[in-house]
Amino acid sequence: MKKSKLIQISLIGSDADLKDSQLLQKMAFDIGRYIAQNNAVLITSGEKRGGLTKMAAKGAWKEKGIVIGIMGNKNNALPYLTSIIDIGTTKEGLREFFLINSCDAVIAIGGGSGTLNELTIAYQNKIPVVCVTKGEGWAKDLAGKFLDKRKYYRFEKASTAKEAVEKALKLARKETTL
């Protein structure tokens, strides 16, 4: 019997300093729950300071899902992580590269400059992205659009947590079978 690889999905979005609304925090929590309920792995930064990513990790953890934190300082880890991959540096930009390239699909919600960096890495590496259209930030601004004139692919859009996870799973399954 052939074992199939678990699908790995990252939720990217605003850090705690952007003060996201309760709606986005609830959506991130629900995205984490739905990822775990669908037997997929949540890949996150795993840092205590995380805003929406922390909520997604908490949601997946509550469902007894697998939550992997890719971080530069394991001493700053969330309590909701199943496993930690310590990349050995806190240099900004490098963690995002490893985080995004560990995923089969990405869900973006809210987002500032770090999220934009992650979206660019996903786009350049043709990793499918689903952007949540609620709230403010890069996810809403880029939903349904191409990032540049090369038109590698259009960022998908979703308005609910369940829709975002369903689309990410569908895109990930398509990518992993190519």
Side-chain angles (χ1 to χ4, degrees), residues 17-37:
D17 60 339
L18 291 182
K19 308 274 189 274
D20 289 298
S21 69
Q22 288 184 343
L23 170 70
L24 290 189
Q25 290 181 36
K26 169 107 173 64
M27 286 186 79
F29 181 86
D30 288 342
I31 287 169
R33 284 183 44 242
Y34 292 134
I35 288 171
Q37 288 172 359

Side-chain angles (χ1 to χ4, degrees), residues 55-118:
M55 294 305 295
K58 187 175 182 179
W61 180 78
K62 289 256 185 193
E63 293 291 327
K64 299 185 179 9
I66 299 171
V67 184
I68 299 173
I70 297 181
M71 51 198 324
N73 180 0
K74 63 184 174 190
N75 296 324
N76 193 31
L78 288 169
Y80 314 116
L81 302 179
T82 309
S83 185
I84 296 171
I85 298 172
D86 188 341
I87 63 167
T89 181
T90 57
K91 184 112 174 126
E92 287 299 320
L94 192 55
R95 178 192 51 79
E96 288 91 342
F97 176 81
F98 286 107
L99 176 79
I100 296 303
N101 281 293
S102 298
C103 299
D104 300 307
V106 174
I107 298 173
I109 183 170
S113 61
T115 303
L116 180 58
N117 185 26
E118 291 164 330

Side-chain angles (χ1 to χ4, degrees), residues 100-106 121-123 125-129 153 155:
I100 296 303
N101 281 293
S102 298
C103 299
D104 300 307
V106 174
I121 293 166
Y123 189 80
N125 291 288
K126 299 177 182 78
I127 297 167
V129 175
Y153 66 87
F155 290 133

